[in-house]
PDB file of all heavy atoms in Angstrom:
ATOM      1  N   GLN A 989      30.356 -37.223 -26.732  1.00  0.00           N
ATOM      2  CA  GLN A 989      30.411 -36.299 -27.901  1.00  0.00           C
ATOM      3  C   GLN A 989      31.765 -35.730 -28.077  1.00  0.00           C
ATOM      4  O   GLN A 989      32.231 -35.697 -29.288  1.00  0.00           O
ATOM      5  CB  GLN A 989      29.389 -35.145 -27.662  1.00  0.00           C
ATOM      6  CG  GLN A 989      27.970 -35.525 -27.690  1.00  0.00           C
ATOM      7  CD  GLN A 989      27.407 -35.760 -29.103  1.00  0.00           C
ATOM      8  OE1 GLN A 989      28.070 -35.484 -30.091  1.00  0.00           O
ATOM      9  NE2 GLN A 989      26.263 -36.467 -29.134  1.00  0.00           N
ATOM     10  N   VAL A 990      32.518 -35.420 -27.114  1.00  0.00           N
ATOM     11  CA  VAL A 990      33.891 -34.923 -27.286  1.00  0.00           C
ATOM     12  C   VAL A 990      34.785 -35.980 -27.817  1.00  0.00           C
ATOM     13  O   VAL A 990      35.516 -35.709 -28.754  1.00  0.00           O
ATOM     14  CB  VAL A 990      34.482 -34.489 -25.847  1.00  0.00           C
ATOM     15  CG1 VAL A 990      35.903 -34.152 -25.891  1.00  0.00           C
ATOM     16  CG2 VAL A 990      33.586 -33.201 -25.350  1.00  0.00           C
ATOM     17  N   LEU A 991      34.701 -37.201 -27.360  1.00  0.00           N
ATOM     18  CA  LEU A 991      35.519 -38.271 -27.733  1.00  0.00           C
ATOM     19  C   LEU A 991      35.232 -38.579 -29.293  1.00  0.00           C
ATOM     20  O   LEU A 991      36.164 -38.803 -30.102  1.00  0.00           O
ATOM     21  CB  LEU A 991      35.348 -39.542 -26.997  1.00  0.00           C
ATOM     22  CG  LEU A 991      35.884 -39.441 -25.567  1.00  0.00           C
ATOM     23  CD1 LEU A 991      35.247 -40.624 -24.680  1.00  0.00           C
ATOM     24  CD2 LEU A 991      37.361 -39.491 -25.472  1.00  0.00           C
ATOM     25  N   ALA A 992      33.996 -38.499 -29.700  1.00  0.00           N
ATOM     26  CA  ALA A 992      33.638 -38.751 -31.104  1.00  0.00           C
ATOM     27  C   ALA A 992      34.151 -37.573 -31.923  1.00  0.00           C
ATOM     28  O   ALA A 992      34.711 -37.834 -33.030  1.00  0.00           O
ATOM     29  CB  ALA A 992      32.064 -38.833 -31.198  1.00  0.00           C
ATOM     30  N   GLY A 993      34.067 -36.473 -31.506  1.00  0.00           N
ATOM     31  CA  GLY A 993      34.611 -35.243 -32.221  1.00  0.00           C
ATOM     32  C   GLY A 993      36.041 -35.363 -32.379  1.00  0.00           C
ATOM     33  O   GLY A 993      36.609 -34.934 -33.468  1.00  0.00           O
ATOM     34  N   GLU A 994      36.783 -35.810 -31.425  1.00  0.00           N
ATOM     35  CA  GLU A 994      38.251 -36.004 -31.537  1.00  0.00           C
ATOM     36  C   GLU A 994      38.583 -36.966 -32.657  1.00  0.00           C
ATOM     37  O   GLU A 994      39.556 -36.825 -33.428  1.00  0.00           O
ATOM     38  CB  GLU A 994      38.852 -36.414 -30.257  1.00  0.00           C
ATOM     39  CG  GLU A 994      38.877 -35.373 -29.130  1.00  0.00           C
ATOM     40  CD  GLU A 994      39.318 -35.958 -27.825  1.00  0.00           C
ATOM     41  OE1 GLU A 994      39.486 -37.100 -27.566  1.00  0.00           O
ATOM     42  OE2 GLU A 994      39.433 -35.118 -26.940  1.00  0.00           O
ATOM     43  N   TRP A 995      37.876 -38.003 -32.771  1.00  0.00           N
ATOM     44  CA  TRP A 995      38.071 -39.070 -33.793  1.00  0.00           C
ATOM     45  C   TRP A 995      37.795 -38.446 -35.219  1.00  0.00           C
ATOM     46  O   TRP A 995      38.414 -38.838 -36.168  1.00  0.00           O
ATOM     47  CB  TRP A 995      37.217 -40.278 -33.570  1.00  0.00           C
ATOM     48  CG  TRP A 995      37.185 -41.246 -34.698  1.00  0.00           C
ATOM     49  CD1 TRP A 995      36.148 -41.509 -35.573  1.00  0.00           C
ATOM     50  CD2 TRP A 995      38.197 -42.067 -35.147  1.00  0.00           C
ATOM     51  NE1 TRP A 995      36.438 -42.529 -36.441  1.00  0.00           N
ATOM     52  CE2 TRP A 995      37.779 -42.879 -36.284  1.00  0.00           C
ATOM     53  CE3 TRP A 995      39.561 -42.332 -34.739  1.00  0.00           C
ATOM     54  CZ2 TRP A 995      38.524 -43.864 -36.915  1.00  0.00           C
ATOM     55  CZ3 TRP A 995      40.352 -43.284 -35.420  1.00  0.00           C
ATOM     56  CH2 TRP A 995      39.814 -43.977 -36.490  1.00  0.00           C
ATOM     57  N   LEU A 996      36.733 -37.670 -35.283  1.00  0.00           N
ATOM     58  CA  LEU A 996      36.343 -37.164 -36.624  1.00  0.00           C
ATOM     59  C   LEU A 996      37.139 -35.924 -37.050  1.00  0.00           C
ATOM     60  O   LEU A 996      37.135 -35.544 -38.223  1.00  0.00           O
ATOM     61  CB  LEU A 996      34.897 -36.648 -36.489  1.00  0.00           C
ATOM     62  CG  LEU A 996      33.918 -37.819 -36.186  1.00  0.00           C
ATOM     63  CD1 LEU A 996      32.532 -37.301 -35.965  1.00  0.00           C
ATOM     64  CD2 LEU A 996      33.936 -38.896 -37.306  1.00  0.00           C
ATOM     65  N   ALA A 997      37.981 -35.313 -36.174  1.00  0.00           N
ATOM     66  CA  ALA A 997      38.757 -34.153 -36.480  1.00  0.00           C
ATOM     67  C   ALA A 997      39.770 -34.449 -37.542  1.00  0.00           C
ATOM     68  O   ALA A 997      40.396 -35.490 -37.508  1.00  0.00           O
ATOM     69  CB  ALA A 997      39.380 -33.568 -35.183  1.00  0.00           C
ATOM     70  N   PRO A 998      39.992 -33.567 -38.464  1.00  0.00           N
ATOM     71  CA  PRO A 998      41.068 -33.809 -39.539  1.00  0.00           C
ATOM     72  C   PRO A 998      42.341 -34.009 -38.782  1.00  0.00           C
ATOM     73  O   PRO A 998      42.682 -33.318 -37.877  1.00  0.00           O
ATOM     74  CB  PRO A 998      41.047 -32.521 -40.366  1.00  0.00           C
ATOM     75  CG  PRO A 998      39.714 -31.824 -40.021  1.00  0.00           C
ATOM     76  CD  PRO A 998      39.268 -32.254 -38.626  1.00  0.00           C
ATOM     77  N   ALA A 999      43.197 -34.918 -39.410  1.00  0.00           N
ATOM     78  CA  ALA A 999      44.563 -35.165 -38.831  1.00  0.00           C
ATOM     79  C   ALA A 999      45.398 -33.859 -39.202  1.00  0.00           C
ATOM     80  O   ALA A 999      45.325 -33.323 -40.219  1.00  0.00           O
ATOM     81  CB  ALA A 999      45.155 -36.361 -39.393  1.00  0.00           C
ATOM     82  N   GLY A1000      46.354 -33.578 -38.333  1.00  0.00           N
ATOM     83  CA  GLY A1000      47.290 -32.557 -38.606  1.00  0.00           C
ATOM     84  C   GLY A1000      47.255 -31.390 -37.854  1.00  0.00           C
ATOM     85  O   GLY A1000      47.094 -30.716 -37.183  1.00  0.00           O
TER      86      GLY A1000
END
Side-chain angles (χ1 to χ4, degrees):
Q989 291 283 347
V990 169
L991 292 167
E994 289 173 356
W995 170 250
L996 300 173

